[in-house]
Structures are given as structure tokens and as C-alpha cells.
Amino acid sequence: MRSFLYPTISALTLAIPFSSVAGEMTIENRLALLEKAFIQAQEKQISTERELRETKETLNTYKKFFDTPVANSAAPSANGVAETPRVESVQPDAQTPHQVKKEVKAGDLTLSQISDYVKNDIGIETHGYMRTGWASTINGAPTAWAAGSLGRFGNEYDGWYDLFMMKRLYEEDGKSVKAAFNLEGDLGLRRNGESFDRGYMGGGYGGITALYLSTKGFLPFAPEAEFWLGKNAPIKREVQMFDWKHYYTDGGSGVGINGWKLGPGELSLDVMRADVDNYKSYCFRFGQSCVDSSDYKTVNTNMVDIMYSKIPVFDNSTFDVHTKYAWANKTSKDKKLEDSGEYYNVKPSYQLLLAVNTPVLRGNNEISFQMANNSIASSYMNISGSTGMFEYASMYYGNHTNGTGYRLMNQGEIYLSDKVIMQDAIVYGWGEDLFSYNTGAHTDFNSLRMALRPSYIWDKNNQTGFEVGYFNQTNKTSGTSYDESGYKITLAHTFKTDFSLLSRPEIRIYSTYLKALENEIDNHQFNDGKNYQVSFGVEGEVFW
């Protein structure tokens, strides 16, 4: 008995504060202190055991949730019709916060559904994109050329990142409020230290490209639609092989309604602010570059975007209509400076897109027609980066003369056989009386861009293929024609996680031959003045 009590009494004695035993104490006082300390220790142990037991019960409930075998599909009901998988909500009891009130049933849930349930329960949505790699040539550092006309496959040497997060702030009675944030940027992948603020050529470039609130259920006439406000890019349509967007809604800030079910399709209405730096009329003429802030002034610019999409037409095809109108909200001083000829005249510009999407050969194909005038049409002539933008890298300059540009586009991914898959993109463009950032005002142009990428499927994780690209463009102004053309061949083996050419993650081991046949528009030259480049490298691209 003594051997059991002695270490216990000793431990309790150590637990008594030093001040309590300082000085002389009677045996009765010492026993009273020991008894008090013993009772406190027992109470603490009981509390700890209770918390441990309640936590263990919660853990066992969740363990049961994930350990229950799941079926690959919904279990059939008695009448043979598959029932919709469901999960009962897990809610804490008000009196016992560590206990689970309802048991989770997951017998017919897939792991993907469980993942979606957990994300929805937490209220945080995240996704991102990353492109990175290493490359070299047989003659110095590699240089990308005409990726927007020849194709980006094996013809890009920078690294891009895109980090998006959305947090649910409120959800009740069919109404929700979420906050969204996106960090996006480009790295040159050239130096050890590449900072956000050095720009693409000197290192990296990074910025916040989304900062907005997204709501649903607050509009009584369109409870299913998203009502948003802030900095957002709600509409993006891309020619993926050329890496530019043939329709893009973007700006400094805005407000809009997206996904409003109206009639057979969905309606989206967006108003965006996208101010421009308007330059003095001598800038960028005759080789005169302007980099000082005294050479430009900021002009308030806004744009309205209207989209009616997902209209069913024929054979599971859908039809989309997009239209955009951008204009400058000028002050009296702005108008006076432009009328005097001291600054370029910021002119309004519109853009129209008609597109049909059709399932074909186990894939999908999109054919579209596009037209624009003034500065948006000028972007159609850019050999790379031909996104339809009102400005040129936030700069506005040039004598835009109310001309019009047009584009016919086709892109898709189809299966030529069970083992051969092919992606394609073809863009034919033309226009009259436009300002070209290369050849100046009153330019007429026509261009053809095409890229084909067939690939042989060895299995789900291995493909071997090639991409061939060709383009030809002629700009004509003041009776003089400027021609530019070239071709590209890329051979590659890719490690993948799915069969589609668009599936990611993907790791590519490649070699590319680039050849400039004519370069009178952008005057591009490869290393040592050569008109060709042979590059090789490894590139990785992922979504999550």
C-alpha cells in the first residue's frame, strides 16, 4: 500500500506551488493541501477523458464514413432506376459540440462525390494552372516566334502560373455570397532571381487579376444567375493551340449578371471599366518610343458585353452570340487635346462573335465568325497575341480610321481512329483601312494561320505525336506590301493522365524546328541573324 501511495503523494507534492510550502507548515496543513491538489488532478483527468471520448466518437463516425465501401455508380432501386446518391449533413449538437448529431451515409457515394461534399462543407474553392520547363538550342538561348500563328506546342519558353481561390461567406435559403481572388503571372525562367516587378523580359510579372464578390439568389427575376461585382474576367474564349483569346471580357472593375436562363439559352450582361494610357501623337512614329509618364495621359474607358449562349440548334449543337462595345468617357480637356492633334484620338470600338459548337468523331468542333472595327480590329493583325483587345498592353496609340477586320475560325479535337487523336486550329483573317502596330495607318491585311497536332495513343499515360504549323500574312499600306510567313515542326512524346490532348497534367519531351520564310512585318531574327532555330526541351503543364 505504501509503495502505491508514495509516488502519488510525491507527485502531488511537486504540484503544490512553491509559495505554499515555503516556511513552516503543520502536518494538518500539508494534508489539506495534498487533498486539494488530488481533487483538482482528478477533475482535470475526468475532463480530459470526457473530451478524449467525445473526440474519439466523432473520429469513429468520420472513419466509418470513409471506410464504408463505395459503389462505382448509383445503386439501382427496386424498379431498376438508379437512385441519386445522397449524403446527410453532419451538424454539431448545440449541447455537445464534439458529438455528431446525424450519421453520415456514404454507401453509394464515389470518392469524387465525397471530395465535393467536403469542399462544399468547408466553403473554399481553389484551382490553378502552372506551366514550367527547361529548353535550349544548338545555338544559344531559345526564342519563341509567332506562337500566335504557328502554334504554342514546343514554341514557348516562359513559365505561367494562375492561383485562384473563392471563399463562401454566406449561404441560406438559396442565397449565397462568395469572395474571389486570383494571382496570375509570367516568369521568364531565365535567371535565379526573377521578381514580380521586372516584367517578362527582365524576369517575372505578377498581378492580381481577380478580386470580386459573387452572389446567387438575390435577383428575384433570375435566382439561378450569378450577380458579381469587382475585378473579374467572366468570359474567356480561347484558340488553345495559338494561346490567345478570340473573345475576352476583362477590365479593372465591373459588374454583371452571368448565366441568366432566358428562353432556350443563357444571357450574360457585363459592364467593365478599363482605362487606357493615351499617348501623344508623336509617340511610336518613325521609331520614336515613349516611356516617360509625360508622354501620355489616362483616359477613362468603359465597355458593355452582352452574350447569349448555349442555344440548342441541331444534332446536339449549340449556338453562341457575343457582342462588345467599348468607348472613352472623355473630359472636356481630353477632347480639346485630342482635337488639337496633340494626342491620339481614342475612338469607340465594337466586336461581334458568332459561334457553333458541335460534337463530332468522339470529340468537339467549334466554327466561328468574328468582326470588329478600330482598335479591336487592329489586334487581328498581331502575329502573336491576337486577343481582341481595345488597347495594346494598356497603351492606346495610332490613327485608327474606322476600318473593319474579320476572322473565320475553326478549332477542335477529334479521333481519327481508336489510337489516333488530332487537334486543329485554322484562322483566316482580313480587313481594310486599319491601323497596324507594325506598318501604321490605312493598312489592309489578309492572313492564314493553321496548326495540326495528330498523336498516337500508346496507352492512357503515353502519346507520341507531332505538330505542324504554317502562317502567311500580308499587310499593305500606301501601295507597299509587307509579307511575313513561316512554318514550325515539333516532335514530342508526352506523359499524360488521360487520353485527350487537352488533358492535364502533361509532361512533354520535344524538339522543334522553326523557320521564318519572310519577316517584313515584325523583322524577327533568331540568334546570329539566322532565319531558323532548332530547339529541344522538357515542359510540364498542369491544372488543379
Side-chain angles (χ1 to χ4, degrees):
M1 182 69 175
R2 182 184 178 190
S3 62
F4 171 78
L5 291 175
Y6 183 77
T8 304
I9 298 291
S10 300
L12 291 172
T13 303
L14 291 174
I16 299 173
F18 179 80
S19 60
S20 300
V21 296
E24 296 184 0
M25 296 185 65
T26 66
I27 293 177
E28 289 80 8
N29 289 337
R30 289 179 180 272
L31 289 174
L33 286 172
L34 286 171
E35 185 179 8
K36 182 179 179 181
F38 186 82
I39 293 172
Q40 290 176 346
Q42 281 185 320
E43 291 175 348
K44 183 177 181 180
Q45 182 180 3
I46 291 172
S47 176
T48 302
E49 288 178 350
R50 183 174 64 250
E51 292 178 0
L52 180 62
R53 184 176 65 254
E54 292 170 352
T55 302
K56 186 176 180 180
E57 289 174 356
T58 303
L59 178 62
N60 287 337
T61 300
Y62 278 101
K63 187 174 184 299
K64 180 180 179 181
F65 180 92
F66 287 101
D67 287 349
T68 302
V70 296
N72 292 328
S73 60
S77 63
N79 60 9
V81 179
E83 295 180 344
T84 303
R86 68 184 186 278
V87 57
E88 293 185 22
S89 60
V90 178
Q91 299 179 358
D93 187 279
Q95 284 73 35
T96 54
H98 298 285
Q99 294 179 345
V100 175
K101 184 176 181 180
K102 294 186 179 180
E103 180 177 311
V104 179
K105 297 180 180 179
D108 55 356
L109 287 178
T110 66
L111 290 177
S112 176
Q113 290 168 328
I114 293 173
S115 176
D116 290 341
Y117 167 79
V118 173
K119 286 188 293 185
N120 182 66
D121 187 58
I122 296 174
I124 295 179
E125 304 171 34
T126 62
H127 62 76
Y129 169 81
M130 182 182 70
R131 183 181 72 230
T132 189
W134 170 88
S136 189
T137 76
I138 60 175
N139 184 37
T143 302
W145 175 63
S149 295
L150 293 174
R152 60 193 289 262
F153 195 58
N155 190 19
E156 54 188 359
Y157 309 104
D158 59 326
W160 194 268
Y161 59 90
D162 193 336
L163 307 172
F164 178 87
M165 183 183 76
M166 176 177 279
K167 178 69 174 74
R168 185 179 66 233
L169 307 175
Y170 170 84
E171 188 171 47
E172 186 177 334
D173 299 329
K175 298 179 176 62
S176 67
V177 180
K178 300 178 181 180
F181 169 88
N182 193 72
L183 178 65
E184 187 174 357
D186 202 4
L187 291 175
L189 300 182
R190 303 176 183 184
R191 295 172 175 82
N192 180 37
E194 295 184 334
S195 61
F196 278 179
D197 58 351
R198 294 187 63 186
Y200 169 74
M201 297 304 294
Y205 173 79
I208 296 174
T209 57
L211 191 69
Y212 66 94
L213 289 178
S214 172
T215 76
K216 281 191 176 182
F218 288 91
L219 301 177
F221 56 87
E224 77 288 346
E226 177 194 30
F227 173 63
W228 64 269
L229 67 157
K231 183 174 178 60
N232 190 12
I235 302 173
K236 298 178 181 179
R237 298 183 72 114
E238 185 177 56
V239 183
Q240 199 272 341
M241 296 188 75
F242 294 145
D243 201 22
W244 46 261
K245 297 171 178 61
H246 55 292
Y247 200 93
Y248 192 33
T249 301
D250 189 28
S253 63
V255 60
I257 303 172
N258 295 93
W260 178 5
K261 296 186 184 302
L262 196 64
E266 293 184 2
L267 181 66
S268 295
L269 304 170
D270 303 304
V271 179
M272 309 289 290
R273 174 180 176 178
D275 293 358
V276 298
D277 293 332
N278 186 29
Y279 281 76
K280 291 185 176 180
S281 55
Y282 59 77
C283 292
F284 308 105
R285 296 176 61 189
F286 312 110
Q288 174 68 49
S289 63
C290 296
V291 295
D292 194 276
S293 59
S294 62
D295 292 324
Y296 63 85
K297 59 182 177 63
T298 302
V299 176
N300 177 231
T301 305
N302 293 281
M303 62 184 67
V304 175
D305 240 314
I306 303 174
M307 176 180 70
Y308 193 51
S309 61
K310 301 180 182 179
I311 309 166
V313 281
F314 56 88
D315 296 333
N316 297 319
S317 299
T318 58
F319 178 61
D320 302 336
V321 181
H322 297 251
T323 182
K324 175 193 297 184
Y325 182 76
W327 74 98
N329 181 25
K330 303 177 185 178
T331 65
S332 298
K333 184 178 180 180
D334 292 334
K335 296 175 182 178
K336 183 177 180 181
L337 291 172
E338 292 181 15
D339 291 343
S340 68
E342 185 176 352
Y343 285 81
Y344 289 108
N345 186 9
V346 182
K347 293 186 175 182
S349 182
Y350 72 84
Q351 181 170 239
L352 173 69
L353 173 70
L354 309 176
V356 177
N357 289 274
T358 304
V360 58
L361 295 178
R362 294 160 52 194
N364 186 75
N365 190 78
E366 177 188 275
I367 183 169
S368 55
F369 169 76
Q370 192 171 28
M371 64 182 296
N373 74 335
N374 289 337
S375 58
I376 296 179
S378 291
S379 67
Y380 292 5
M381 287 183 281
N382 294 337
I383 292 174
S384 278
S386 193
T387 296
M389 302 294 287
F390 182 74
E391 78 288 349
Y392 184 78
S394 295
M395 302 182 295
Y396 190 96
Y397 66 90
N399 293 315
H400 297 278
T401 47
N402 299 316
T404 305
Y406 308 88
R407 289 198 288 214
L408 275 173
M409 297 172 284
N410 186 89
Q411 62 173 327
E413 180 187 75
I414 59 175
Y415 281 84
L416 299 178
S417 70
D418 289 341
K419 288 291 186 178
V420 179
I421 188 172
M422 186 179 74
Q423 190 177 6
D424 70 273
I426 302 173
V427 179
Y428 177 68
W430 71 99
E432 297 179 349
D433 199 17
L434 295 168
F435 176 82
S436 166
Y437 297 109
N438 295 109
T439 56
H442 304 291
T443 294
D444 301 337
F445 86 100
N446 62 77
S447 66
L448 175 65
R449 317 168 195 233
M450 57 188 304
L452 302 174
R453 189 194 305 173
S455 187
Y456 183 81
I457 303 172
W458 299 98
D459 54 45
K460 184 177 180 179
N461 302 123
N462 289 273
Q463 294 183 18
T464 300
F466 66 92
E467 179 172 295
V468 56
Y470 171 80
F471 90 99
N472 187 310
Q473 179 165 319
T474 298
N475 288 8
K476 185 176 181 179
T477 181
S478 301
T480 303
S481 293
Y482 301 88
D483 299 314
E484 187 139 356
S485 61
Y487 64 88
K488 180 202 73 172
I489 300 175
T490 296
L491 302 176
H493 182 83
T494 60
F495 302 107
K496 305 177 66 66
T497 58
D498 208 343
F499 297 102
S500 171
L501 292 174
L502 300 175
S503 65
R504 301 293 184 269
E506 179 178 282
I507 298 175
R508 311 160 186 142
I509 303 173
Y510 68 90
S511 181
T512 296
Y513 180 76
L514 272 176
K515 174 73 171 182
L517 300 174
E518 300 168 291
N519 62 349
E520 296 176 346
I521 296 177
D522 68 1
N523 299 311
H524 178 83
Q525 289 185 334
F526 297 103
N527 296 333
D528 298 327
K530 297 181 181 295
N531 64 355
Y532 69 91
Q533 174 182 274
V534 178
S535 64
F536 46 88
V538 181
E539 184 178 49
E541 193 173 16
V542 299
F543 294 105
W544 67 89

